[in-house]
Amino acid sequence: MRKHTIALLCLSSLSSFWLTAAELTAPIAVQQPYTVTSANGDRPDPYYWLRDDSRTSPTVLDYLQRENDYFAQYSAGYQALTDKLTDEIIGRIKQDDSSVPYNKGDYSYYTRFDTGKEYPIYLRKSLKDGTEQVMLDVNVLAAGKDFYQVANMRVSPDQNLLAYVDDTNGRRQYTLKIRDLRTGKDLPDQLTGLSSSIAWAKDSKTLYVVKNDPATLLSTQVLQHTLGNDVASARQVYEEKDNSFYMGIGNTGDNNYVVIYLGSTVSTEMRVQDASKPDSEFKVLAPRQRDFQYSASHINDRWVISTDWDAPNFRLMSVTDDKIGDRNNWQPLVKHDDKVFIEDFELFNNYLAINERSDGLRRLKVMPWAAPDKAFYVASDESAYVMAFETNVEPNTDYVRYVYTSLTTPASTYQLNMKTGEKQLLKQTEILGGFDKNNYKTERVWATATDGVKVPISLLYRKDFKRDGSAPLYQYAYGSYGNSSDPSFRSVALSLVDRGFVYAIAHIRGGQEMGRQWYEDGKLLHKINTFTDYIAVTDYLVANQYAAKDKVFGMGGSAGGLLMGAVANMAPEKYRGLVAHVPFVDVVTTMLDEGIPLTTNEFDEWGNPKQKAYYDYMLSYSPYDQVAKQNYPAMLVTTGLHDSQVQYFEPAKWVAKLRTHKTNNQPLMFKTNMEAGHGGKSGRFSRLAENAQEYAFILNLLGQTK
């Protein structure tokens, strides 16, 4: 067990936690002996005392507040710039805006934002008489709360009830509530400590939710609740014993089945129940096996399945309802292509629509069931773009909705006639503030990694940009979990680009931009490829005069924050500044502790440090462990006190260690949002203000005040 020798300090001795010699002297955390033990080696951790699982320790909270005060003092010097950026970024948003409605049952559903309001309003309109009804006004629900989020909602099959889950502190532990849409009042039924998943049975009185373990926050049980019954009597219909699996619940697109989704990094399983028979047993679609993944949806008495079975980039297969339970009954539908990764698909009575990824770009393919040889792609005129499905809830239609976007094109919702190939623009997000897409250019270039692999880069800059090696660069990446960083429109980025920046997205290994192997080559014992790819992108952009070598800024969040931490240790001289949001930086200690939320789910992503090979490899890049006596770039680090994904104490410890090791005077700023979690603040304007704060930090380093 770990040796815990931290002494309790009374508030009167708090002055020992920081230096106060000058107004802008940074807080210096006291060091207390502590040893993190493991079979593969013991490591001293003098800042372990910053971990307080209850989030109530006056000592810890006061220290975090001192860090916040220090940042407030520093940023006060350029507050006018922050305010200007905030107004500018918010000023591009059309405040009174609505989503494109979609029809389901007797209603048309849509979302609206009102001028000056932080949160959405969810509405529907009767297709019979045009009457509009407010289902949820999140502004009303959020009133008086520092944080509020409605994470999911589902209308009952009879359209009379709305089940929704909300969160009041950002820790992603949700409460289920049910609103009677006939009265506008919430029913007394409430279940707490849940994930965000919801499913309905066809009787419109049986609901399914996923219960979380209160300590690890792992999703462990599927509960079935009958409206009107005591919530304490909710029936457990499934329990997951393997703590490496995540779990969710939902309905198929045709609403004929309730589905339990189970997934680890390398394995998945689906259990299905006839939605008209809530008392029946869940049946396994195909038993889980290691290194076997699949997902499925249902239409016309059969399941269509996307799977990596003998297909690293996934292929599509199908099976009839009466033959589920054994993958050997699956029939081929769309074959595997080693150059094309199948991202997603939508099912229609007469068509199959596929969202593919090739050469790092997402595109749409439409295939008629009756004539597979007449499949076609939706064309684009840009070199870097994204196509992804919009809401498609009606299978008996010739139309598929999708969103098209690029770094120069705001999100545009299209409706494609799959029979004729004609497409109709339903809406393009309006960007205010004088935006003209013709003033900007997007480009796709390729850097060469240390092992010779070509890494794609998406660039955005103004058309009057001169490639002469003088421009500042803002370089973003993520590079983990197979999550791809698509080149979609980002209106906030215009505040940097209009000030002469080149905005770059580095599509580094660890994502799936170039297919499944791109992910495999950036995890476990190949993780360092992620970091060296990022540095190679920087080197390419500087060498090819897209950027000045002394004006390079990097940003990443969560696992992308780990990227920033690793890069800061490996190549600090290449960056003028780095921004790390909610960074996962204490890799080994976190992965050794199975009591921390989400740890056991991540062993196949990062490795299990109880095994020496993984312990040694993870230790070799863990940002907290590899902090050295050297110069570091200017850094802004953020976290949320209630973060359940990356606990606040990881960045807190990392910053504390950096303060005692860095050998230069570049600013190191640490800001804790005391009311939020992993995603930051919940309101739309509050989030944009956080973007402005980040950009002001960067621009101030360059001496820009406008």
PDB file of all heavy atoms in Angstrom, residues 456-481:
ATOM      1  N   PRO A 456      -0.938  14.059 -42.005  1.00  0.00           N
ATOM      2  CA  PRO A 456      -1.711  15.149 -42.620  1.00  0.00           C
ATOM      3  C   PRO A 456      -1.910  16.326 -41.669  1.00  0.00           C
ATOM      4  O   PRO A 456      -2.001  16.166 -40.456  1.00  0.00           O
ATOM      5  CB  PRO A 456      -3.043  14.482 -42.964  1.00  0.00           C
ATOM      6  CG  PRO A 456      -3.152  13.319 -42.038  1.00  0.00           C
ATOM      7  CD  PRO A 456      -1.758  12.868 -41.738  1.00  0.00           C
ATOM      8  N   ILE A 457      -1.964  17.510 -42.262  1.00  0.00           N
ATOM      9  CA  ILE A 457      -2.186  18.750 -41.516  1.00  0.00           C
ATOM     10  C   ILE A 457      -3.247  19.555 -42.253  1.00  0.00           C
ATOM     11  O   ILE A 457      -3.154  19.738 -43.470  1.00  0.00           O
ATOM     12  CB  ILE A 457      -0.906  19.604 -41.423  1.00  0.00           C
ATOM     13  CG1 ILE A 457       0.308  18.773 -41.017  1.00  0.00           C
ATOM     14  CG2 ILE A 457      -1.102  20.775 -40.464  1.00  0.00           C
ATOM     15  CD1 ILE A 457       1.637  19.459 -41.310  1.00  0.00           C
ATOM     16  N   SER A 458      -4.236  20.034 -41.535  1.00  0.00           N
ATOM     17  CA  SER A 458      -5.238  20.944 -42.115  1.00  0.00           C
ATOM     18  C   SER A 458      -4.907  22.362 -41.671  1.00  0.00           C
ATOM     19  O   SER A 458      -4.705  22.609 -40.476  1.00  0.00           O
ATOM     20  CB  SER A 458      -6.644  20.567 -41.652  1.00  0.00           C
ATOM     21  OG  SER A 458      -7.007  19.288 -42.135  1.00  0.00           O
ATOM     22  N   LEU A 459      -4.866  23.281 -42.622  1.00  0.00           N
ATOM     23  CA  LEU A 459      -4.469  24.650 -42.342  1.00  0.00           C
ATOM     24  C   LEU A 459      -5.585  25.626 -42.695  1.00  0.00           C
ATOM     25  O   LEU A 459      -6.347  25.412 -43.642  1.00  0.00           O
ATOM     26  CB  LEU A 459      -3.231  25.028 -43.157  1.00  0.00           C
ATOM     27  CG  LEU A 459      -1.956  24.220 -42.913  1.00  0.00           C
ATOM     28  CD1 LEU A 459      -0.861  24.660 -43.880  1.00  0.00           C
ATOM     29  CD2 LEU A 459      -1.489  24.380 -41.471  1.00  0.00           C
ATOM     30  N   LEU A 460      -5.654  26.700 -41.919  1.00  0.00           N
ATOM     31  CA  LEU A 460      -6.543  27.823 -42.212  1.00  0.00           C
ATOM     32  C   LEU A 460      -5.740  29.101 -42.063  1.00  0.00           C
ATOM     33  O   LEU A 460      -5.023  29.286 -41.075  1.00  0.00           O
ATOM     34  CB  LEU A 460      -7.731  27.848 -41.243  1.00  0.00           C
ATOM     35  CG  LEU A 460      -8.655  29.068 -41.331  1.00  0.00           C
ATOM     36  CD1 LEU A 460      -9.427  29.067 -42.643  1.00  0.00           C
ATOM     37  CD2 LEU A 460      -9.611  29.120 -40.139  1.00  0.00           C
ATOM     38  N   TYR A 461      -5.869  29.989 -43.047  1.00  0.00           N
ATOM     39  CA  TYR A 461      -5.228  31.302 -42.951  1.00  0.00           C
ATOM     40  C   TYR A 461      -5.973  32.261 -43.876  1.00  0.00           C
ATOM     41  O   TYR A 461      -6.793  31.856 -44.712  1.00  0.00           O
ATOM     42  CB  TYR A 461      -3.745  31.228 -43.316  1.00  0.00           C
ATOM     43  CG  TYR A 461      -3.415  30.432 -44.557  1.00  0.00           C
ATOM     44  CD1 TYR A 461      -3.603  30.969 -45.839  1.00  0.00           C
ATOM     45  CD2 TYR A 461      -2.906  29.134 -44.457  1.00  0.00           C
ATOM     46  CE1 TYR A 461      -3.294  30.241 -46.974  1.00  0.00           C
ATOM     47  CE2 TYR A 461      -2.601  28.389 -45.593  1.00  0.00           C
ATOM     48  CZ  TYR A 461      -2.792  28.946 -46.843  1.00  0.00           C
ATOM     49  OH  TYR A 461      -2.500  28.221 -47.981  1.00  0.00           O
ATOM     50  N   ARG A 462      -5.679  33.531 -43.731  1.00  0.00           N
ATOM     51  CA  ARG A 462      -6.308  34.519 -44.598  1.00  0.00           C
ATOM     52  C   ARG A 462      -5.702  34.444 -45.999  1.00  0.00           C
ATOM     53  O   ARG A 462      -4.546  34.043 -46.175  1.00  0.00           O
ATOM     54  CB  ARG A 462      -6.122  35.927 -44.029  1.00  0.00           C
ATOM     55  CG  ARG A 462      -6.983  36.197 -42.793  1.00  0.00           C
ATOM     56  CD  ARG A 462      -6.909  37.663 -42.396  1.00  0.00           C
ATOM     57  NE  ARG A 462      -7.425  38.531 -43.430  1.00  0.00           N
ATOM     58  CZ  ARG A 462      -8.702  38.933 -43.543  1.00  0.00           C
ATOM     59  NH1 ARG A 462      -9.600  38.505 -42.658  1.00  0.00           N
ATOM     60  NH2 ARG A 462      -9.087  39.725 -44.520  1.00  0.00           N
ATOM     61  N   LYS A 463      -6.482  34.856 -46.983  1.00  0.00           N
ATOM     62  CA  LYS A 463      -5.989  34.778 -48.361  1.00  0.00           C
ATOM     63  C   LYS A 463      -4.819  35.729 -48.607  1.00  0.00           C
ATOM     64  O   LYS A 463      -4.025  35.507 -49.528  1.00  0.00           O
ATOM     65  CB  LYS A 463      -7.118  35.066 -49.347  1.00  0.00           C
ATOM     66  CG  LYS A 463      -7.968  33.835 -49.626  1.00  0.00           C
ATOM     67  CD  LYS A 463      -8.817  34.024 -50.864  1.00  0.00           C
ATOM     68  CE  LYS A 463      -9.516  32.712 -51.228  1.00  0.00           C
ATOM     69  NZ  LYS A 463     -10.443  32.870 -52.369  1.00  0.00           N
ATOM     70  N   ASP A 464      -4.704  36.781 -47.786  1.00  0.00           N
ATOM     71  CA  ASP A 464      -3.582  37.702 -47.955  1.00  0.00           C
ATOM     72  C   ASP A 464      -2.353  37.265 -47.157  1.00  0.00           C
ATOM     73  O   ASP A 464      -1.373  38.001 -47.052  1.00  0.00           O
ATOM     74  CB  ASP A 464      -3.987  39.126 -47.586  1.00  0.00           C
ATOM     75  CG  ASP A 464      -4.528  39.238 -46.163  1.00  0.00           C
ATOM     76  OD1 ASP A 464      -4.497  38.227 -45.425  1.00  0.00           O
ATOM     77  OD2 ASP A 464      -4.992  40.332 -45.784  1.00  0.00           O
ATOM     78  N   PHE A 465      -2.405  36.065 -46.595  1.00  0.00           N
ATOM     79  CA  PHE A 465      -1.269  35.520 -45.841  1.00  0.00           C
ATOM     80  C   PHE A 465      -0.059  35.340 -46.760  1.00  0.00           C
ATOM     81  O   PHE A 465      -0.178  34.862 -47.891  1.00  0.00           O
ATOM     82  CB  PHE A 465      -1.678  34.170 -45.238  1.00  0.00           C
ATOM     83  CG  PHE A 465      -0.535  33.286 -44.841  1.00  0.00           C
ATOM     84  CD1 PHE A 465       0.256  33.595 -43.755  1.00  0.00           C
ATOM     85  CD2 PHE A 465      -0.252  32.131 -45.555  1.00  0.00           C
ATOM     86  CE1 PHE A 465       1.307  32.773 -43.378  1.00  0.00           C
ATOM     87  CE2 PHE A 465       0.788  31.299 -45.203  1.00  0.00           C
ATOM     88  CZ  PHE A 465       1.580  31.618 -44.103  1.00  0.00           C
ATOM     89  N   LYS A 466       1.111  35.756 -46.269  1.00  0.00           N
ATOM     90  CA  LYS A 466       2.356  35.587 -47.002  1.00  0.00           C
ATOM     91  C   LYS A 466       3.209  34.515 -46.321  1.00  0.00           C
ATOM     92  O   LYS A 466       3.508  34.625 -45.131  1.00  0.00           O
ATOM     93  CB  LYS A 466       3.119  36.913 -47.060  1.00  0.00           C
ATOM     94  CG  LYS A 466       2.414  37.982 -47.862  1.00  0.00           C
ATOM     95  CD  LYS A 466       3.229  39.262 -47.909  1.00  0.00           C
ATOM     96  CE  LYS A 466       2.511  40.337 -48.725  1.00  0.00           C
ATOM     97  NZ  LYS A 466       3.287  41.608 -48.764  1.00  0.00           N
ATOM     98  N   ARG A 467       3.559  33.515 -47.078  1.00  0.00           N
ATOM     99  CA  ARG A 467       4.347  32.402 -46.530  1.00  0.00           C
ATOM    100  C   ARG A 467       5.828  32.792 -46.534  1.00  0.00           C
ATOM    101  O   ARG A 467       6.602  32.375 -47.383  1.00  0.00           O
ATOM    102  CB  ARG A 467       4.107  31.147 -47.358  1.00  0.00           C
ATOM    103  CG  ARG A 467       4.264  29.869 -46.579  1.00  0.00           C
ATOM    104  CD  ARG A 467       3.879  28.679 -47.415  1.00  0.00           C
ATOM    105  NE  ARG A 467       5.039  27.919 -47.830  1.00  0.00           N
ATOM    106  CZ  ARG A 467       5.029  26.943 -48.713  1.00  0.00           C
ATOM    107  NH1 ARG A 467       3.893  26.628 -49.318  1.00  0.00           N
ATOM    108  NH2 ARG A 467       6.106  26.284 -49.016  1.00  0.00           N
ATOM    109  N   ASP A 468       6.191  33.606 -45.542  1.00  0.00           N
ATOM    110  CA  ASP A 468       7.561  34.116 -45.488  1.00  0.00           C
ATOM    111  C   ASP A 468       8.244  33.832 -44.152  1.00  0.00           C
ATOM    112  O   ASP A 468       9.294  34.405 -43.845  1.00  0.00           O
ATOM    113  CB  ASP A 468       7.574  35.615 -45.768  1.00  0.00           C
ATOM    114  CG  ASP A 468       6.725  36.411 -44.779  1.00  0.00           C
ATOM    115  OD1 ASP A 468       6.218  35.817 -43.797  1.00  0.00           O
ATOM    116  OD2 ASP A 468       6.547  37.625 -44.989  1.00  0.00           O
ATOM    117  N   GLY A 469       7.639  32.942 -43.340  1.00  0.00           N
ATOM    118  CA  GLY A 469       8.262  32.569 -42.076  1.00  0.00           C
ATOM    119  C   GLY A 469       8.097  33.582 -40.967  1.00  0.00           C
ATOM    120  O   GLY A 469       8.809  33.507 -39.954  1.00  0.00           O
ATOM    121  N   SER A 470       7.134  34.495 -41.100  1.00  0.00           N
ATOM    122  CA  SER A 470       6.960  35.519 -40.062  1.00  0.00           C
ATOM    123  C   SER A 470       5.679  35.364 -39.251  1.00  0.00           C
ATOM    124  O   SER A 470       5.492  36.043 -38.243  1.00  0.00           O
ATOM    125  CB  SER A 470       6.964  36.911 -40.715  1.00  0.00           C
ATOM    126  OG  SER A 470       5.840  37.071 -41.573  1.00  0.00           O
ATOM    127  N   ALA A 471       4.786  34.478 -39.667  1.00  0.00           N
ATOM    128  CA  ALA A 471       3.460  34.389 -39.046  1.00  0.00           C
ATOM    129  C   ALA A 471       3.495  33.596 -37.740  1.00  0.00           C
ATOM    130  O   ALA A 471       4.254  32.634 -37.596  1.00  0.00           O
ATOM    131  CB  ALA A 471       2.473  33.740 -40.008  1.00  0.00           C
ATOM    132  N   PRO A 472       2.659  33.965 -36.791  1.00  0.00           N
ATOM    133  CA  PRO A 472       2.470  33.113 -35.617  1.00  0.00           C
ATOM    134  C   PRO A 472       1.611  31.902 -35.976  1.00  0.00           C
ATOM    135  O   PRO A 472       0.790  31.959 -36.898  1.00  0.00           O
ATOM    136  CB  PRO A 472       1.757  34.033 -34.620  1.00  0.00           C
ATOM    137  CG  PRO A 472       1.091  35.070 -35.449  1.00  0.00           C
ATOM    138  CD  PRO A 472       1.905  35.223 -36.700  1.00  0.00           C
ATOM    139  N   LEU A 473       1.806  30.832 -35.244  1.00  0.00           N
ATOM    140  CA  LEU A 473       1.118  29.563 -35.515  1.00  0.00           C
ATOM    141  C   LEU A 473       0.379  29.093 -34.271  1.00  0.00           C
ATOM    142  O   LEU A 473       0.934  29.109 -33.166  1.00  0.00           O
ATOM    143  CB  LEU A 473       2.128  28.497 -35.940  1.00  0.00           C
ATOM    144  CG  LEU A 473       1.630  27.041 -36.019  1.00  0.00           C
ATOM    145  CD1 LEU A 473       0.643  26.882 -37.172  1.00  0.00           C
ATOM    146  CD2 LEU A 473       2.815  26.075 -36.192  1.00  0.00           C
ATOM    147  N   TYR A 474      -0.863  28.661 -34.463  1.00  0.00           N
ATOM    148  CA  TYR A 474      -1.652  28.009 -33.408  1.00  0.00           C
ATOM    149  C   TYR A 474      -1.898  26.586 -33.881  1.00  0.00           C
ATOM    150  O   TYR A 474      -2.576  26.360 -34.885  1.00  0.00           O
ATOM    151  CB  TYR A 474      -2.973  28.747 -33.202  1.00  0.00           C
ATOM    152  CG  TYR A 474      -3.887  28.189 -32.129  1.00  0.00           C
ATOM    153  CD1 TYR A 474      -3.871  28.699 -30.835  1.00  0.00           C
ATOM    154  CD2 TYR A 474      -4.805  27.181 -32.423  1.00  0.00           C
ATOM    155  CE1 TYR A 474      -4.740  28.214 -29.857  1.00  0.00           C
ATOM    156  CE2 TYR A 474      -5.664  26.696 -31.456  1.00  0.00           C
ATOM    157  CZ  TYR A 474      -5.631  27.215 -30.171  1.00  0.00           C
ATOM    158  OH  TYR A 474      -6.488  26.736 -29.218  1.00  0.00           O
ATOM    159  N   GLN A 475      -1.329  25.626 -33.178  1.00  0.00           N
ATOM    160  CA  GLN A 475      -1.362  24.226 -33.615  1.00  0.00           C
ATOM    161  C   GLN A 475      -2.137  23.386 -32.609  1.00  0.00           C
ATOM    162  O   GLN A 475      -1.749  23.266 -31.449  1.00  0.00           O
ATOM    163  CB  GLN A 475       0.065  23.698 -33.758  1.00  0.00           C
ATOM    164  CG  GLN A 475       0.151  22.260 -34.247  1.00  0.00           C
ATOM    165  CD  GLN A 475       1.591  21.828 -34.479  1.00  0.00           C
ATOM    166  OE1 GLN A 475       2.382  22.568 -35.050  1.00  0.00           O
ATOM    167  NE2 GLN A 475       1.928  20.628 -34.022  1.00  0.00           N
ATOM    168  N   TYR A 476      -3.237  22.792 -33.078  1.00  0.00           N
ATOM    169  CA  TYR A 476      -4.098  21.966 -32.222  1.00  0.00           C
ATOM    170  C   TYR A 476      -3.977  20.494 -32.602  1.00  0.00           C
ATOM    171  O   TYR A 476      -3.793  20.145 -33.774  1.00  0.00           O
ATOM    172  CB  TYR A 476      -5.565  22.392 -32.364  1.00  0.00           C
ATOM    173  CG  TYR A 476      -6.518  21.396 -31.740  1.00  0.00           C
ATOM    174  CD1 TYR A 476      -6.665  21.324 -30.363  1.00  0.00           C
ATOM    175  CD2 TYR A 476      -7.225  20.489 -32.533  1.00  0.00           C
ATOM    176  CE1 TYR A 476      -7.504  20.385 -29.785  1.00  0.00           C
ATOM    177  CE2 TYR A 476      -8.061  19.543 -31.959  1.00  0.00           C
ATOM    178  CZ  TYR A 476      -8.199  19.494 -30.586  1.00  0.00           C
ATOM    179  OH  TYR A 476      -9.012  18.553 -30.005  1.00  0.00           O
ATOM    180  N   ALA A 477      -4.107  19.615 -31.608  1.00  0.00           N
ATOM    181  CA  ALA A 477      -4.195  18.173 -31.861  1.00  0.00           C
ATOM    182  C   ALA A 477      -4.779  17.492 -30.639  1.00  0.00           C
ATOM    183  O   ALA A 477      -4.811  18.047 -29.535  1.00  0.00           O
ATOM    184  CB  ALA A 477      -2.831  17.590 -32.200  1.00  0.00           C
ATOM    185  N   TYR A 478      -5.227  16.261 -30.849  1.00  0.00           N
ATOM    186  CA  TYR A 478      -5.735  15.415 -29.761  1.00  0.00           C
ATOM    187  C   TYR A 478      -4.942  14.106 -29.730  1.00  0.00           C
ATOM    188  O   TYR A 478      -4.120  13.879 -28.880  1.00  0.00           O
ATOM    189  CB  TYR A 478      -7.228  15.172 -29.923  1.00  0.00           C
ATOM    190  CG  TYR A 478      -7.839  14.413 -28.778  1.00  0.00           C
ATOM    191  CD1 TYR A 478      -8.035  15.031 -27.548  1.00  0.00           C
ATOM    192  CD2 TYR A 478      -8.215  13.073 -28.907  1.00  0.00           C
ATOM    193  CE1 TYR A 478      -8.592  14.337 -26.475  1.00  0.00           C
ATOM    194  CE2 TYR A 478      -8.776  12.377 -27.845  1.00  0.00           C
ATOM    195  CZ  TYR A 478      -8.957  13.015 -26.637  1.00  0.00           C
ATOM    196  OH  TYR A 478      -9.502  12.321 -25.582  1.00  0.00           O
ATOM    197  N   GLY A 479      -5.221  13.196 -30.662  1.00  0.00           N
ATOM    198  CA  GLY A 479      -4.363  12.041 -30.856  1.00  0.00           C
ATOM    199  C   GLY A 479      -4.501  10.901 -29.867  1.00  0.00           C
ATOM    200  O   GLY A 479      -3.483  10.291 -29.506  1.00  0.00           O
ATOM    201  N   SER A 480      -5.719  10.568 -29.466  1.00  0.00           N
ATOM    202  CA  SER A 480      -5.931   9.431 -28.553  1.00  0.00           C
ATOM    203  C   SER A 480      -7.315   8.829 -28.767  1.00  0.00           C
ATOM    204  O   SER A 480      -8.199   9.467 -29.346  1.00  0.00           O
ATOM    205  CB  SER A 480      -5.793   9.870 -27.086  1.00  0.00           C
ATOM    206  OG  SER A 480      -4.465  10.202 -26.773  1.00  0.00           O
ATOM    207  N   TYR A 481      -7.494   7.605 -28.292  1.00  0.00           N
ATOM    208  CA  TYR A 481      -8.784   6.911 -28.280  1.00  0.00           C
ATOM    209  C   TYR A 481      -9.376   6.703 -29.673  1.00  0.00           C
ATOM    210  O   TYR A 481     -10.556   6.377 -29.803  1.00  0.00           O
ATOM    211  CB  TYR A 481      -9.798   7.646 -27.405  1.00  0.00           C
ATOM    212  CG  TYR A 481      -9.401   7.769 -25.962  1.00  0.00           C
ATOM    213  CD1 TYR A 481      -8.928   8.970 -25.446  1.00  0.00           C
ATOM    214  CD2 TYR A 481      -9.462   6.679 -25.108  1.00  0.00           C
ATOM    215  CE1 TYR A 481      -8.548   9.086 -24.113  1.00  0.00           C
ATOM    216  CE2 TYR A 481      -9.092   6.784 -23.776  1.00  0.00           C
ATOM    217  CZ  TYR A 481      -8.631   7.989 -23.289  1.00  0.00           C
ATOM    218  OH  TYR A 481      -8.243   8.091 -21.970  1.00  0.00           O
TER     219      TYR A 481
END
